[in-house]
Amino acid sequence: MSDIEFVREAYQQALEGYEQGGAPIGAVMVRDGKVIARGRNKRVQEGDPVMHGETDCLRNAGIIDDYSDITLYTTLSPCMMCTGAIIHFGIKRVVVGEDVNFSGNIDFLRQYGVEVVLVDDDQCKQLMARFIREKPEIWYEDIAGNETV
């Protein structure tokens, strides 16, 4: 599968989260061309402030001895918390669906040697923009009221 096909899988996670009333941010972890974990932002659904798409995906993957050959696909540029988790676990490649609605920390990841591929996906952009329009209070709470986090 290609990067865009794995972004589509992450998008499906984001769409499920949106349909459940949460922030539409999804992620998948891939090793050797196979999805090993999926996750989505569940902050609203589970009342858990650190349950972002990437952290849910990491949790669902369980303990892995070596993350260096994993690619993390995420629909939105990672916040600082998720960026820290990516760096902490040694994930070396991240594919981002979009960074228009939230610029996140792509440059910071790159400073730490993470290869970041930005695919600029229209579906990811449209779903996130729709969510921000419909539920700005949830969105700004999710990013702690700070667009640069």
Side-chain angles (χ1 to χ4, degrees):
M1 290 178 69
S2 68
D3 282 344
I4 196 65
E5 290 171 303
F6 287 122
V7 168
R8 291 271 69 74
E9 290 213 28
Y11 175 82
Q12 287 305 311
Q13 290 296 309
L15 188 57
E16 285 182 39
Y18 173 80
E19 290 169 350
Q20 295 168 348
I25 304 163
V28 295
M29 288 175 62
V30 174
R31 174 182 270 156
D32 297 326
K34 295 183 178 97
V35 174
I36 61 169
R38 293 172 175 80
R40 63 182 168 274
N41 186 302
K42 295 178 184 171
R43 261 185 14 86
V44 171
Q45 300 92 312
E46 295 188 9
D48 183 341
V50 298
M51 190 57 70
H52 286 194
E54 299 89 342
T55 55
D56 184 45
C57 192
L58 281 161
R59 179 176 284 164
N60 291 334
I63 296 172
I64 297 174
D65 290 339
D66 181 9
Y67 292 84
S68 64
D69 63 344
I70 297 230
T71 298
L72 177 68
Y73 293 83
T74 181
T75 56
L76 187 65
S77 182
C79 71
M80 187 54 78
M81 177 180 70
C82 295
T83 294
I86 290 163
I87 293 167
H88 176 78
F89 288 107
I91 295 171
K92 298 294 182 199
R93 185 168 189 265
V94 176
V95 178
V96 176
E98 68 110 339
D99 70 345
V100 172
N101 289 293
F102 181 71
S103 59
N105 295 282
I106 290 174
D107 291 337
F108 192 82
L109 284 167
R110 287 180 175 146
Q111 288 174 9
Y112 277 83
V114 178
E115 175 191 355
V116 180
V117 177
L118 177 62
V119 297
D120 196 35
D121 183 77
D122 285 337
Q123 281 186 307
C124 292
K125 288 189 282 193
Q126 290 167 10
L127 182 60
M128 193 70 232
R130 179 179 173 188
F131 173 76
I132 293 169
R133 276 193 316 273
E134 292 174 351
K135 299 182 179 180
E137 68 287 350
I138 294 174
W139 170 242
Y140 289 110
E141 180 183 275
D142 191 87
I143 59 169
N146 184 349
E147 293 187 43
T148 62
V149 173

